[in-house]
Amino acid sequence: EPEVTQTPSHQVTQMGQEVILRCVPISNHLYFYWYRQILGQKVEFLVSFYNNEISEKSEIFDDQFSVERPDGSNFTLKIRSTKLEDSAMYFCASSVSRGRDQPQHFGDGTRLSIL
Amino acid sequence: AQKITQTQPGMFVQEKEAVTLDCTYDTSDQSYGLFWYKQPSSGEMIFLIYQGSYDEQNATEGRYSLNFQKARKSANLVISASQLGDSAMYFCAMGAGRRALTFGSGTRLQVQP
């Protein structure tokens, strides 16, 4: 069964450094998402992406964050000048469409630790 | 705005018994979808089951069923014949139209032998 793939599984970065989290969505999916989950807390939406542009973003997704689909398969989340509070599990998800009955399939996540 | 409430931070169930995980929601949307995801201790998010707001039948997927009561705005997950491997965090989530998923705070289920 096709799945969303995220790399790396764990990233350790010094505060102030830039980090890029990578995702390969399911091949026939058109909508891509990033969520984050701070340890012990609920999953929070960051951004959605369709047709090579951001279609929705939350208030968390400020100028520190950016997303890109550099080629036909990868979908990346870049965090500039990381802060301690950016430590979290970051999930990439994809869906065939944004219809109400289309489940978003999640990757296994990247655990980001900021030191 | 959408809101998902899961009032049970933790639940215990004996192996082979059924368990109900509660989820209530609030939305002004007429059309929406409700989802349940499982998060094992390894951290991944696994899609379990979906219920559309206009679906007349309650959704079922193997041992999972969704007890959807639209008037009460509840979408409880029922797991029948619990197995040790069901021990995990369970998240209820809602999606409506063009908006991304809104998640509840989760319920940690522990299945005891």
Side-chain angles (χ1 to χ4, degrees):
Chain A
E1 185 174 332
E3 57 184 27
V4 177
T5 306
Q6 289 187 244
T7 54
S9 56
H10 192 189
Q11 175 83 44
V12 182
T13 302
Q14 291 287 334
M15 186 173 61
Q17 296 295 308
E18 175 182 285
V19 65
I20 297 176
L21 309 182
R22 291 183 167 80
C23 170
V24 179
I26 295 173
S27 61
N28 65 331
H29 285 190
L30 302 176
Y31 292 87
F32 316 119
Y33 308 83
W34 283 102
Y35 293 83
R36 80 172 184 190
Q37 184 183 30
I38 295 172
L39 186 63
Q41 298 187 22
K42 67 171 67 176
V43 178
E44 301 172 293
F45 167 71
L46 292 177
V47 65
S48 60
F49 193 85
Y50 170 71
N51 200 27
N52 284 320
E53 60 183 25
I54 290 173
S55 49
E56 184 184 4
K57 61 181 181 179
S58 72
E59 59 188 22
I60 301 170
F61 193 87
D62 59 21
D63 292 343
Q64 182 193 8
F65 295 90
S66 62
V67 289
E68 192 178 34
R69 189 155 163 82
D71 53 43
S73 59
N74 289 284
F75 178 51
T76 62
L77 174 69
K78 181 189 289 185
I79 309 174
R80 288 182 283 273
S81 188
T82 49
K83 299 176 275 195
L84 293 176
E85 55 263 38
D86 294 328
S87 295
M89 181 78 98
Y90 287 80
F91 290 102
C92 174
S94 69
S95 66
V96 172
S97 73
R98 283 173 97 182
R100 60 183 173 89
D101 56 350
Q102 298 298 325
Q104 293 176 23
H105 294 270
F106 284 69
D108 288 349
T110 293
R111 187 172 300 281
L112 178 63
S113 300
I114 307 299
L115 304 179
Chain B
Q2 300 175 325
K3 186 176 180 181
I4 296 283
T5 302
Q6 294 181 255
T7 57
Q8 306 154 313
M11 290 281 286
F12 290 90
V13 66
Q14 290 292 121
E15 197 177 5
K16 300 181 184 177
E17 292 186 351
V19 63
T20 298
L21 307 183
D22 294 341
C23 172
T24 58
Y25 61 91
D26 192 19
T27 182
S28 56
D29 294 295
Q30 297 300 310
S31 176
Y32 49 88
L34 294 152
F35 305 82
W36 277 92
Y37 287 85
K38 173 184 178 181
Q39 186 177 42
S41 57
S42 49
E44 67 268 32
M45 294 286 284
I46 303 167
F47 166 70
L48 295 178
I49 195 167
Y50 161 82
Q51 177 83 45
S53 59
Y54 287 105
D55 294 339
E56 295 183 356
Q57 303 272 354
N58 283 344
T60 60
E61 286 287 347
R63 293 186 298 110
Y64 304 108
S65 60
L66 206 153
N67 183 2
F68 181 49
Q69 299 188 47
K70 192 171 182 177
R72 294 185 176 183
K73 294 189 174 180
S74 73
N76 299 337
L77 176 69
V78 180
I79 305 174
S80 62
S82 297
Q83 301 171 357
L84 295 177
D86 294 334
S87 294
M89 280 290 285
Y90 288 81
F91 290 96
C92 180
M94 162 184 279
R98 305 170 68 82
R99 286 191 292 274
L101 293 179
T102 299
F103 283 81
S105 55
T107 295
R108 183 173 299 283
L109 177 66
Q110 294 192 44
V111 181
Q112 296 175 319

